[in-house]
Amino acid sequence: MNILDCIFLSYMNLKNRKKNVYTTIILISLAVVIFVISLSYTNKFLESMEKAINKNISYRTIAVIPNYETSQEEIIKKVLNVSNIVKVVPQKEYYTAVDIENIDNNLLDNASVSIQGANEDIQPSIIEGRGFYKNENDVCIIPEKFYPYNLDENFNSEDLIDGKTLIGKDIIIKYYSYDYSDGIQKVNQAFEKKLTVIGIYNQDENMAEYNDCYISFNDMSSIISDIKENTVYSENTIVAGGNGVFAIVDEAKNVKSVESALKELGNDDYRVIIRSVANTELMESIQIVCVIVSIVLMFIAFVNITISTIKSAIERKYEIGMQKAIGFKNRQIQWITFTENIIIGSLSYIVAIALTVIINIILKKYIIDTNSQLYQIGLNIDIIICLIALIISLIVPIISSFICNIAILKKTPVSLNKER
Amino acid sequence: MIKSIILKNGYKEFVLKNEKIIAMDNVNLEFKTGKFYVIMGHSGSGKSTLIQILGLLDNLTKGELFINGKDVSNLTENEKADIRMQEIGFVFQSFYLNPRLNALENVMLPMYINSKIEKKERKEKATKLLSSFGLENRKKHYPKELSGGEQQRIAIARALANDPNFILADEPTGNLDIKNEKIVFDTLRNLADNGKSVIVVSHNENIKNYADEVIYIENGKVR
Ligand SMILES: Nc1ncnc2c1ncn2[C@@H]1O[C@H](COP(=O)(O)OP(=O)(O)OP(=O)(O)O)[C@@H](O)[C@H]1O
Ligand SMILES: [Mg+2]
């Protein structure tokens, strides 16, 4: 019996129990559609989230806050011993918020941005203009969609400024030191600094806000020194922190391991704080839920297929009993059944992939808000997941029919004939 | 080489919930080629049991079975399947055809597992067989479009597909009217005349006129 004969005979058997074949194909393909879509979307979505998070240093940053007398130098020394850390930044070079006096000589009212330290190695990817050169100061990088105000409920996406138009233009920022000697906050001194916009980055792909700007670590440092050195405290003021460092990890996925390494190394010298714990945990739980849902669906499909295969055992007894009486060997009958299930599995898979592609096109076109970069990245079908689904859609019918066949093949043609 | 089926001290019992049913008790028989044998007996006497054991569709509890001089009682399932394919053509009362295959395809079915028959020969051989039973115009018909007699002749043609020496039939006319019955009996007699060994179970008295030898079974024993 060669392979073509085998295919012909299995095709004939399948024709014998059309209804059962259709239900099986529908069940498997439904499970495959849900499996491929849910896992592809979450996978691609999480992939792009992770990329975005990787681009944004704040999600890769671990704050190391000293306890008591530990000096910043000591902490930096210790932290530098941990692998996967690309830079250790003293607190004053890291992050603050400043007001904006004017942009390109246009005065702005109540304008402000948050600024974050960066350099030629640690900066978002630039989509237009350029990034930082080595030791470069007095320049800044702004979001592609720029909103130099507080992001409050008055935010309206129509107010976004096109960052492109500001490349090469100057922004004057303003910041203050305070006098607390009377117990209340009074401005002590105001400072101004001119920053030239050199490039823009995509705030969505970087999981950043519309008012997140980057300046050099040096500029950050001098801004914070200006503020600190000119601030007058009252006797009762508790001067908080300022001694901490920020450890920037190479990739977001290493943050957890670096965190525990830091904790182990630190004893009681410092505390370790991750800025974005919730984010990674949410990602992981979304993925776990999707995997569980898909496994449950596959299992339901598997049980259903097995039940319907057992139900069709009456017909199979007829077929197998007859084939055995004619002189078919168990091995030959198994091969025919195997081919039948390969046919069922591949048909289901083809149906499932066709459905998936259609659903994907519909979702892309009509349902998901195409304004958001993140979602566009997420709505793609993952080839690897398609391949896993192919293996599953072939294995499920093979296993379930194998279970039924074992029992039938052991019997003599006579008992098969009698039972039916 | 002698072509024969020989049953020696054949014994078959069925055990049902502590109850033992002896369906064959110390039976000794020999079947030769070129002869028409009829097995007769009351209902429940063990006729089907006997012919199924002769056709290797069921196993003996005790005793020996020789096909063409070879002891087949202790062969593996695969070896038995091979003998069924090459040496035995079995005809059932209920025809046992594949309803989704047409007449020609049903007759071709056993040829798929016979490496001695080449692929291109199958169709020609099956067509010849059908023609010899007067069914050349029925080749493309499906079982449900055919009369009982026609279906049974297709079943006989299928039994002959791999050119076996032994044709075994259990009540082949049980579902047929008198006219079709005669056609089937004539066909079987013809096979015996052409050198086959034909063994038929029946309680139809008419069949005695066709038989070379009638074997009576009673309570699992040869009378
Ligand atoms: N699978 C089985 N399990 C238990 N008992 C069986 C089985 N097959 C046959 N028997 C018993 O063996 C005896 C012989 O049965 P068998 O079918 O050979 O009779 P038969 O002569 O063909 O009868 P009929 O003319 O009605 O077809 C009967 O008593 C029957 O009940
Ligand atoms: Mg009987």
Side-chain angles (χ1 to χ4, degrees):
Chain A
M1 196 176 62
N2 66 27
I3 191 148
L4 283 178
D5 293 341
C6 188
I7 292 172
F8 173 78
L9 293 174
S10 12
Y11 169 69
M12 284 301 162
N13 285 348
L14 290 180
K15 262 174 81 183
N16 255 336
R17 35 177 218 281
K18 264 190 201 148
K19 238 194 212 156
N20 186 261
V21 171
Y22 291 150
T23 19
T24 311
I25 288 179
I26 290 169
L27 271 172
I28 300 181
S29 43
L30 269 185
V32 169
V33 166
I34 292 162
F35 181 82
V36 171
I37 289 198
S38 65
L39 278 193
S40 286
Y41 283 8
T42 50
N43 230 27
K44 289 274 173 179
F45 184 79
L46 294 180
E47 234 173 56
S48 62
M49 277 253 281
E50 189 164 332
K51 254 192 217 156
I53 282 174
N54 266 331
K55 283 181 186 166
N56 188 334
I57 24 168
S58 42
Y59 291 104
R60 295 192 270 132
T61 300
I62 300 175
V64 184
I65 310 298
N67 295 330
Y68 314 112
E69 299 94 34
T70 323
S71 75
Q72 207 168 39
E73 285 75 38
E74 272 176 72
I75 292 182
I76 290 176
K77 240 188 244 163
K78 268 198 174 172
V79 170
L80 278 173
N81 282 332
V82 177
S83 53
N84 294 75
I85 290 178
V86 283
K87 189 174 168 68
V88 181
V89 186
Q91 192 168 0
K92 63 177 184 177
E93 294 177 18
Y94 187 66
Y95 174 89
T96 193
V98 294
D99 287 352
I100 289 186
E101 184 66 20
N102 74 58
I103 296 178
D104 194 23
N105 293 323
N106 297 315
L107 279 173
L108 296 179
D109 240 4
N110 283 329
S112 71
V113 290
S114 60
I115 50 175
Q116 179 146 3
N119 66 10
E120 71 277 10
D121 296 323
I122 298 165
Q123 59 179 327
S125 56
I126 303 300
I127 54 173
E128 211 159 320
R130 62 169 179 87
F132 287 97
Y133 295 152
K134 209 171 176 192
N135 296 327
E136 194 180 19
N137 294 325
D138 301 325
V139 293
C140 71
I141 293 170
I142 61 169
E144 183 189 17
K145 291 176 185 155
F146 188 36
Y147 184 75
Y149 302 96
N150 281 327
L151 290 160
D152 51 21
E153 61 271 18
N154 295 327
F155 171 75
N156 179 351
S157 60
E158 282 166 18
D159 297 338
L160 290 171
I161 299 170
D162 184 358
K164 259 184 251 173
T165 61
L166 297 182
I167 295 175
K169 304 278 164 59
D170 291 338
I171 294 177
I172 311 272
I173 60 166
K174 204 169 180 184
Y175 50 95
Y176 310 92
S177 65
Y178 295 97
D179 182 350
Y180 295 99
S181 52
D182 294 346
I184 47 160
Q185 187 189 41
K186 272 190 305 184
V187 172
N188 187 28
Q189 209 175 325
F191 303 88
E192 273 188 10
K193 190 174 178 64
K194 193 170 81 179
L195 298 167
T196 308
V197 178
I198 53 170
I200 57 171
Y201 70 95
N202 183 300
Q203 67 294 322
D204 292 334
E205 279 184 11
N206 285 269
M207 301 255 307
E209 304 284 8
Y210 296 119
N211 62 357
D212 277 343
C213 302
Y214 291 84
I215 66 169
S216 72
F217 286 119
N218 270 343
D219 284 340
M220 275 298 304
S221 179
S222 70
I223 288 171
I224 306 257
S225 302
D226 282 346
I227 297 171
K228 285 246 166 97
E229 280 159 21
N230 296 291
T231 293
V232 182
Y233 297 105
S234 77
E235 278 171 21
N236 315 336
T237 314
I238 299 163
V239 183
N243 238 3
V245 300
F246 290 87
I248 297 168
V249 181
D250 54 356
E251 278 179 69
K253 64 170 195 272
N254 296 327
V255 166
K256 278 251 162 83
S257 62
V258 170
E259 182 202 10
S260 50
L262 280 173
K263 275 184 181 160
E264 214 165 278
L265 200 67
N267 300 327
D268 276 339
D269 291 354
Y270 53 72
R271 287 171 291 135
V272 176
I273 300 162
I274 296 182
R275 208 183 130 174
S276 59
V277 186
N279 250 308
T280 48
E281 277 177 359
L282 180 70
M283 275 166 60
E284 277 152 20
S285 45
I286 290 173
Q287 203 157 29
I288 289 168
V289 167
C290 286
V291 168
I292 290 173
V293 167
S294 306
I295 287 174
V296 167
L297 274 165
M298 279 295 180
F299 183 74
I300 292 171
F302 177 81
V303 169
N304 269 307
I305 291 157
T306 310
I307 288 172
S308 64
T309 316
I310 289 169
K311 269 189 193 160
S312 80
I314 298 165
E315 286 155 76
R316 300 193 70 81
K317 273 179 193 162
Y318 184 88
E319 275 167 25
I320 294 178
M322 181 187 67
Q323 287 168 347
K324 278 188 143 186
I326 287 174
F328 279 73
K329 291 177 189 154
N330 279 352
R331 186 164 29 88
Q332 291 166 323
I333 296 171
Q334 290 272 37
W335 269 112
I336 294 171
T337 320
F338 178 77
T339 314
E340 280 169 30
N341 290 305
I342 294 285
I343 293 173
I344 291 184
S346 356
L347 278 182
S348 321
Y349 186 71
I350 292 167
V351 171
I353 292 301
L355 273 177
T356 306
V357 169
I358 294 169
I359 291 171
N360 190 46
I361 290 171
I362 293 173
L363 285 180
K364 254 186 167 163
K365 225 176 183 168
Y366 301 109
I367 297 175
I368 307 291
D369 171 21
T370 43
N371 281 328
S372 165
Q373 285 275 343
L374 264 181
Y375 287 129
Q376 270 184 1
I377 301 162
L379 279 191
N380 283 314
I381 292 160
D382 194 311
I383 303 264
I384 306 262
I385 288 167
C386 287
L387 287 180
I388 295 172
L390 174 64
I391 294 167
I392 294 173
S393 54
L394 291 181
I395 283 177
V396 166
I398 289 172
I399 293 179
S400 59
S401 74
F402 187 72
I403 292 169
C404 303
N405 258 7
I406 298 173
I408 295 177
L409 285 175
K410 265 194 266 169
K411 296 185 171 158
T412 62
V414 174
S415 50
L416 286 170
N417 194 9
K418 276 210 174 112
E419 279 172 36
R420 92 191 146 84
Chain B
M1 194 173 64
I2 358 132
K3 303 279 183 194
S4 67
I5 298 180
I6 297 170
L7 181 61
K8 277 190 187 162
N9 304 323
Y11 177 85
K12 174 78 177 175
E13 66 183 26
F14 296 101
V15 181
L16 289 174
K17 290 181 209 146
N18 306 329
E19 194 192 347
K20 207 157 69 179
I21 296 164
I22 299 171
M24 181 192 288
D25 195 3
N26 198 24
V27 172
N28 290 286
L29 287 169
E30 180 169 357
F31 302 91
K32 293 184 185 129
T33 49
K35 285 205 161 183
F36 193 125
Y37 299 88
V38 172
I39 299 168
M40 300 195 84
H42 296 297
S43 181
S45 56
K47 307 182 293 296
S48 294
T49 306
L50 171 61
I51 199 162
Q52 282 159 359
I53 283 171
L54 295 177
L56 292 185
L57 299 181
D58 209 349
N59 303 321
L60 281 169
T61 312
K62 272 190 280 186
E64 289 166 307
L65 182 67
F66 295 88
I67 293 182
N68 299 343
K70 187 177 176 190
D71 185 357
V72 296
S73 24
N74 293 317
L75 294 183
T76 64
E77 275 307 311
N78 274 347
E79 290 165 329
K80 282 182 194 165
D82 257 339
I83 295 176
R84 280 203 293 274
M85 185 264 287
Q86 284 172 16
E87 289 295 337
I88 291 159
F90 212 99
V91 179
F92 297 86
Q93 178 177 350
S94 53
F95 321 136
Y96 225 174
L97 297 172
N98 185 331
R100 299 287 168 175
L101 298 182
N102 65 29
L104 193 68
E105 289 162 342
N106 262 299
V107 177
M108 280 162 69
L109 192 57
M111 302 182 191
Y112 281 91
I113 48 170
N114 188 350
S115 53
K116 283 181 196 153
I117 299 178
E118 288 203 21
K119 204 169 175 173
K120 39 188 192 281
E121 286 177 58
R122 287 178 199 154
K123 207 168 204 162
E124 196 191 336
K125 242 192 130 195
T127 311
K128 245 189 217 162
L129 274 170
L130 284 175
S131 307
S132 67
F133 295 131
L135 291 166
E136 58 270 31
N137 302 326
R138 298 285 189 209
K139 276 195 298 197
K140 297 276 179 232
H141 290 242
Y142 287 88
K144 64 168 189 282
E145 301 163 353
L146 299 167
S147 77
E150 285 165 336
Q151 287 188 53
Q152 195 57 298
R153 275 180 284 157
I154 291 167
I156 295 170
R158 182 181 67 185
L160 291 167
N162 286 331
D163 202 20
N165 286 306
F166 305 95
I167 305 297
L168 279 56
D170 192 356
E171 313 258 13
T173 59
N175 291 348
L176 302 181
D177 60 16
I178 293 175
K179 194 175 138 235
N180 278 309
E181 181 186 290
K182 188 176 176 322
I183 295 173
V184 169
F185 286 158
D186 282 334
T187 310
L188 292 172
R189 176 68 248 180
N190 213 357
L191 291 175
D193 292 339
N194 284 310
K196 306 274 180 206
S197 173
V198 178
I199 308 166
V200 181
V201 165
S202 182
H203 27 230
N204 189 322
E205 292 292 322
N206 300 336
I207 200 169
K208 285 187 197 160
N209 306 326
Y210 297 84
D212 295 316
E213 201 178 320
V214 181
I215 299 156
Y216 290 96
I217 303 284
E218 212 175 272
N219 290 330
K221 291 192 176 118
V222 179
R223 195 171 67 189

